[in-house]
Amino acid sequence: MIDKGFVPDYFIEIPKKLNDLKIQKLNSSSGTIVANGTDIYVQFADQLSEENINLIGEESSLKGITFSDKICTIGASTTVTELLENDKLQNIFPKLNSFLKLVSSQQIRNMGTLGGNFVNASPIGDMSIFFLALNSTLRIKNKNGTTREISFQKFHQDYKKFDLKEGELINSVSFLIPDKNTYFNFEKVSKRSYLDIASVNTAIRINIKNNRINNAYFSLGGIAAIPKFLTKTNDFLNGKIIDIKTIKQAEKILQSEISPISDVRGTSSYKRLLAKQLFFAHFIELFPKKIKFQNLFS
Ligand SMILES: Cc1cc2nc3c(=O)[nH]c(=O)nc-3n(C[C@H](O)[C@H](O)[C@H](O)COP(=O)(O)OP(=O)(O)OC[C@H]3O[C@@H](n4cnc5c(N)ncnc54)[C@H](O)[C@@H]3O)c2cc1C
């Protein structure tokens, strides 16, 4: 590249300059946690240049995707691209590529981690919405290496407030691997198709037994101060026959559970409309023979 004149001569010194930075010395376990920095450096680059930082993006104990008999566990520093590159996850979620192609851009997917997405605590964090609907469990680790587990539903408490104490970090997220009677879908509406955060995003995991909903976990982003797990709607769905009447009644409960505000992503009423359309879209997508578009909207 240098000899052909594509890049200037000083590029030859860059590997040595990077080496001389002595990354290990900059990294301090008591510093501000940075996974891969796609979020925190956008917001606080100047401040962070003056602070100690604790780089966890490459920490091996926070990486990796493992499967036991029924549980999948994913390290918090796993990137979105690493999810996409995992064959077993692709088998579990055959539509994973289409779900995740709307998440940021290739470059950000290569860097952005699950832990970073959960802790930046955006009400429209795509990975938060995805793993909430999986009814996931978070493993949280403190400085002494002691761990505790909490349901992801309980993690986000209020706008940018979450259940992490001083010195704690998210170690991993795990979920029950869907069986053959369990269906999953993710939907996102944003102003642009690529490289855009959502106006509203949503996911659902639903288990069906003898034409009845055995359990449903439905999450919705952009309609409250936190990525929202719709407890009342989910409770209503449980045990019901899966049909148009049930879905229409559940949508009314959904509307009572959300409190969207008007902002640059859309007006409050637009987000309520999106919440309705996307809730219906899950069922049309997952049960096309049973749930028809025209019947839901008639
Ligand atoms: C151009 C662009 C487009 C984007 N598009 C989207 C999008 O479409 N959808 C979307 O959801 N997001 C989007 N984002 C936001 C962001 O990049 C992602 O949420 C990403 O997952 C953050 O991961 P990270 O590793 O870079 O986090 P970092 O920036 O390293 O960290 C973010 C926060 O999380 C904390 N943190 C990180 N890991 C842990 C951990 N394990 N335990 C405790 N705290 C931790 C950090 O201290 C920091 O406060 C976008 C960002 C950019 C710059």
Side-chain angles (χ1 to χ4, degrees):
M1 297 288 269
I2 293 170
D3 54 340
K4 295 205 168 57
F6 286 120
V7 291
D9 290 351
Y10 69 80
F11 268 60
I12 203 157
E13 292 161 27
I14 286 178
K16 182 176 179 310
K17 282 187 174 166
L18 286 174
N19 202 29
D20 290 348
L21 284 174
K22 296 193 175 52
I23 301 285
Q24 292 307 325
K25 281 197 179 158
L26 292 174
N27 197 4
S28 150
S29 60
S30 61
T32 302
I33 291 174
V34 175
N36 284 336
T38 63
D39 184 74
I40 197 168
Y41 270 97
V42 172
Q43 302 186 56
F44 305 111
D46 291 343
Q47 187 183 323
L48 287 170
S49 68
E50 308 292 324
E51 283 180 9
N52 287 334
I53 53 171
N54 180 11
L55 285 171
I56 60 165
E58 291 302 319
E59 218 173 89
S60 57
S61 65
L62 303 178
K63 300 285 283 184
I65 305 174
T66 56
F67 300 86
S68 69
D69 190 18
K70 289 189 173 152
I71 307 284
C72 170
T73 302
I74 306 179
S77 286
T78 302
T79 64
V80 177
T81 295
E82 286 165 340
L83 301 183
L84 284 165
E85 287 172 346
N86 188 283
D87 291 343
K88 283 190 179 167
L89 276 184
Q90 287 278 359
N91 282 338
I92 293 170
F93 304 106
K95 293 196 167 165
L96 195 63
N97 287 343
S98 67
F99 296 155
L100 299 186
K101 77 172 186 205
L102 293 178
V103 177
S104 54
S105 61
Q106 180 75 51
Q107 291 87 340
I108 302 291
R109 287 193 294 270
N110 289 347
M111 296 297 284
T113 63
L114 300 190
N117 201 274
F118 302 161
V119 177
N120 82 26
S122 163
I124 41 175
D126 288 317
M127 292 297 94
S128 289
I129 290 302
F130 193 96
F131 284 91
L132 261 179
L134 285 170
N135 194 26
S136 305
T137 299
L138 295 179
R139 172 164 287 201
I140 292 169
K141 186 169 76 170
N142 72 15
K143 287 229 160 77
N144 307 323
T146 313
T147 59
R148 66 182 173 100
E149 288 192 349
I150 61 160
S151 165
F152 198 176
Q153 294 169 38
K154 304 247 158 60
F155 181 66
H156 295 110
Q157 298 166 330
D158 204 342
Y159 185 66
K160 302 274 177 186
K161 290 212 173 84
F162 40 80
D163 183 6
L164 267 191
K165 299 180 186 71
E166 184 66 33
E168 285 187 327
L169 56 74
I170 298 182
N171 190 72
S172 60
V173 58
S174 58
F175 61 90
L176 195 61
I177 298 168
D179 63 16
K180 66 177 179 16
N181 298 318
T182 304
Y183 304 80
F184 182 85
N185 191 43
F186 174 82
E187 301 281 343
K188 170 172 175 174
V189 170
S190 47
K191 287 192 173 177
R192 296 188 305 263
S193 302
Y194 295 100
L195 199 55
D196 202 3
I197 50 173
S199 294
V200 172
N201 51 3
T202 173
I204 195 166
R205 173 192 174 123
I206 188 162
N207 177 272
I208 306 293
K209 227 182 215 170
N210 302 326
N211 208 31
R212 279 188 190 274
I213 300 169
N214 191 35
N215 53 55
Y217 304 106
F218 167 58
S219 62
L220 201 53
I223 46 67
I226 57 173
K228 183 115 175 133
F229 186 80
L230 282 278
T231 309
K232 287 186 195 158
T233 310
N234 293 333
D235 288 350
F236 173 81
L237 286 169
N238 291 344
K240 298 281 186 316
I241 289 185
I242 179 158
D243 61 11
I244 298 284
K245 188 174 156 218
T246 298
I247 297 164
K248 282 186 168 181
Q249 285 176 341
E251 193 272 329
K252 299 267 178 294
I253 297 171
L254 174 174
Q255 293 294 341
S256 75
E257 272 197 278
I258 65 177
S259 48
I261 54 166
S262 299
D263 60 17
V264 288
R265 319 295 319 155
T267 62
S268 166
S269 56
Y270 173 61
K271 291 179 192 174
R272 280 193 182 276
L273 178 64
L274 283 182
K276 173 181 177 173
Q277 313 270 47
L278 294 180
F279 182 65
F280 289 173
H282 285 312
F283 292 92
I284 295 167
E285 177 70 24
L286 293 174
F287 309 102
K289 288 196 181 131
K290 206 185 287 285
I291 308 297
K292 306 263 185 239
F293 174 86
Q294 57 273 27
N295 298 338
L296 271 174
F297 287 93
S298 61

